[in-house]
Amino acid sequence: MRFPRERRAWLAWAGLTALLLVWAASRPGPAAPASAPSAELGPSSPSRWRFRAAVWAAMVLLLLGGLGLGGWSFMQRRERQAIATALTGGDPHRGPDLMTRYGCGGCHTIPGVPGADGKVAGPLSGMRERVFVGGVARNSPEPMIRWIVDPRALSPQTAMPATGITEAEARDVAAYLYAR
């Protein structure tokens, strides 16, 4: 299983913290006076208790971190979808079906759309961070929607065909692309 970059970084930090906790707990404490009985030998000695507590703390830290980061990632995805919906007025959940129906994946590689692995045109990942749509218009929701509906209206020489998609459907596709 491959984790996203932010989760891998967090798990590496949590793992190192856990190792540090275990190492610190396993170090011997100050030496006892020679006349005192050895406290290191018994099953409930302070050093064994410290070691076990550190191991449990490390396991809890890793477990809670993994669960918490998964929730954080889910919330981040929902936030991106809400922003994309507000920007475009579309529903990002309808995007994959529409892109499959109109054959976008025949030319483009589109993350999250099964079978969309075309190599004719550029991949449609990271559209929210791009500067231009189709290389000709500033990347904002209205030009994106116009480009999806009728690309030749913005660039007469483009190879992208008019698919017959409606403006409402183009809003859903744009919302999906901005949410990813």
Side-chain angles (χ1 to χ4, degrees):
M1 179 159 82
R2 185 136 171 101
F3 292 112
R5 180 180 300 149
E6 59 272 357
R7 179 175 277 190
R8 287 193 312 260
W10 195 93
L11 287 173
W13 176 85
L16 287 173
T17 303
L19 285 173
L20 182 63
L21 278 171
V22 170
W23 174 79
S26 65
R27 295 192 48 168
S35 62
S38 176
E40 297 295 321
L41 299 176
S44 62
S45 67
S47 64
R48 283 186 194 228
W49 184 86
R50 271 195 333 226
F51 180 76
R52 287 181 184 151
V55 168
W56 276 102
M59 289 190 318
V60 167
L61 176 71
L62 286 171
L63 177 66
L64 290 177
L67 293 175
L69 198 53
W72 177 78
S73 176
F74 174 74
M75 293 303 291
Q76 184 181 30
R77 185 174 348 127
R78 288 188 55 130
E79 181 180 315
R80 288 179 69 92
Q81 288 175 346
I83 291 170
T85 299
L87 286 173
T88 63
D91 182 358
H93 299 299
R94 291 189 210 137
D97 290 336
L98 290 168
M99 287 187 273
T100 300
R101 183 184 327 153
Y102 287 102
C104 302
C107 296
H108 297 280
T109 300
I110 310 168
V113 178
D117 55 2
K119 304 291 185 222
V120 176
L124 297 182
S125 59
M127 289 303 296
R128 191 169 165 179
E129 289 82 24
R130 294 193 188 177
V131 177
F132 292 104
V133 173
V136 295
R138 289 292 282 166
N139 186 5
S140 63
E142 291 309 314
M144 168 76 87
I145 294 162
R146 283 189 294 151
W147 176 261
I148 294 169
V149 171
D150 188 12
R152 295 206 171 128
L154 294 174
S155 177
Q157 300 299 318
T158 187
M160 183 165 159
T163 60
I165 192 169
T166 67
E167 183 179 332
E169 291 170 328
R171 287 185 180 283
D172 295 338
V173 169
Y176 178 81
L177 294 174
Y178 282 145
R180 300 293 294 182

